Amino acid sequence: MTISRATGRMLNDPVLEKSQRVRTPFAPRMLITDPNFYLVAIPVVLLSGVSKTGIPGLFGGMAVPLLALVIPPLQAVAIMLPILCCIDLFGLGAFRGAFDRRNMPILLTGLAIGIVVGSLIFRLVNQDMLRLLIGAIAIAFALNNLFGWAKNRPPAKASWPRGVVWSAVSGLTSFLAHAGSAPLMAYLLPLRLDKRIYVGTTVWFFFASNYAKIIPYAFLGQLDTTNLATSLVLLPLVPIGVKLGVLIQGKLDEHVFYQISYWALLALGIKLAYDGMTSP
């Protein structure tokens, strides 16, 4: 053991070096402590719960861009995944058995395709171009249903080709950018399902989608200790947001519900397109 004359500290002490290696970096990495992060994250988690069980798409796809204002985007994606998985469990409790049985096999087939493709091309796809493309589709679809020829057409019927394509795109964009709401809404909204069945179908679909991402995300290194600990701190907000969403959905007239949903899809499309065009 030697002592530095300049600092009075021991040098080449294996016990001290081990302590510094283990303890010094450990505490700061266990949890995000920046108050600015929580000023954004708390309303984001609450609104995510409201959107999931109230009006799907109303806040869909916006959680990660908002969190990315205060933390890196990939970290935002990782923190939101456990929270979304928890929201899904509460959503299943609120919409137990409420889903469209004709369309669920169609949607899950497309979802599986989208998740597999997303896992394979995760490092190859330009996510900004993907956001721009999906945003443009969502804008056109919403405007057509609000003001165009589709406004007065009869309800669409379940379709394997259309359903698999849209749900595969939803699975792909959900995996790559947490932006799966718009493609799914593009298929489900024209069916004009009972609003409870419609919301329940989206809840079950994204339950399957989010839980299917866990292993690939862990393999890609996105679920580290800091992100998981931060997610855990935010989890108590989940049941509050979910309950608010259920209350809102239960009080809305069917026509008003779908009008708000189309406007939400339009806003979501604009947001995705904007992100795709302006991201550096």
Side-chain angles (χ1 to χ4, degrees), residues 31-42 44-45 63-81 83 178 222 224 226-228 230-231 234:
L31 186 69
I32 294 177
T33 56
D34 181 4
N36 292 325
F37 166 76
Y38 292 98
L39 287 176
V40 176
I42 289 172
V44 161
V45 174
V64 170
L66 285 174
L67 287 178
L69 296 173
V70 288
I71 58 174
L74 285 179
Q75 187 175 23
V77 170
I79 288 172
M80 281 304 300
L81 181 59
I83 293 170
H178 276 351
Q222 298 201 52
D224 62 22
T226 301
N227 296 335
L228 290 174
T230 303
S231 300
L234 295 169

Side-chain angles (χ1 to χ4, degrees), residues 61-262:
M62 297 185 186
V64 170
L66 285 174
L67 287 178
L69 296 173
V70 288
I71 58 174
L74 285 179
Q75 187 175 23
V77 170
I79 288 172
M80 281 304 300
L81 181 59
I83 293 170
L84 292 174
C85 288
C86 185
I87 291 175
D88 289 330
L89 292 178
F90 281 94
L92 291 183
F95 292 90
R96 188 181 302 108
F99 60 88
D100 189 81
R101 285 165 173 75
R102 296 169 300 169
N103 280 291
M104 191 55 67
I106 300 173
L107 297 176
L108 293 181
T109 300
L111 172 64
I113 296 171
I115 293 291
V116 170
V117 173
S119 301
L120 295 175
I121 66 173
F122 181 78
R123 302 188 186 279
L124 305 176
V125 173
N126 185 315
Q127 294 192 20
D128 293 325
M129 290 300 297
L130 185 66
R131 289 189 182 98
L132 180 59
L133 175 62
I134 297 302
I137 293 172
I139 291 169
F141 181 84
L143 289 175
N144 188 33
N145 280 273
L146 286 168
F147 307 110
W149 66 269
K151 182 179 179 181
N152 297 313
R153 70 182 178 184
K157 296 182 179 179
S159 166
W160 271 92
R162 285 190 297 108
V164 168
V165 169
W166 281 117
S167 57
V169 174
S170 177
L172 175 63
T173 55
S174 178
F175 188 90
L176 297 176
H178 276 351
S181 296
L184 182 65
M185 292 170 71
Y187 174 70
L188 287 180
L189 285 174
L191 302 177
R192 298 182 193 174
L193 304 170
D194 171 82
K195 62 179 180 179
R196 180 171 174 80
I197 296 297
Y198 168 74
V199 176
T201 302
T202 66
V203 167
W204 280 89
F205 178 86
F206 284 113
F207 162 77
S209 174
N210 289 326
Y211 277 84
K213 298 176 195 175
I214 293 175
I215 293 178
Y217 272 43
F219 180 77
L220 292 167
Q222 298 201 52
L223 301 179
D224 62 22
T225 306
T226 301
N227 296 335
L228 290 174
T230 303
S231 300
L232 185 63
V233 169
L234 295 169
L235 285 183
L237 299 170
V238 167
I240 300 173
V242 169
K243 183 63 175 179
L244 288 173
V246 172
L247 292 175
I248 291 171
Q249 182 267 140
K251 294 182 180 298
L252 284 178
D253 173 77
E254 194 105 356
H255 175 73
V256 173
F257 172 84
Y258 273 98
Q259 286 295 303
I260 294 175
S261 295
Y262 280 122

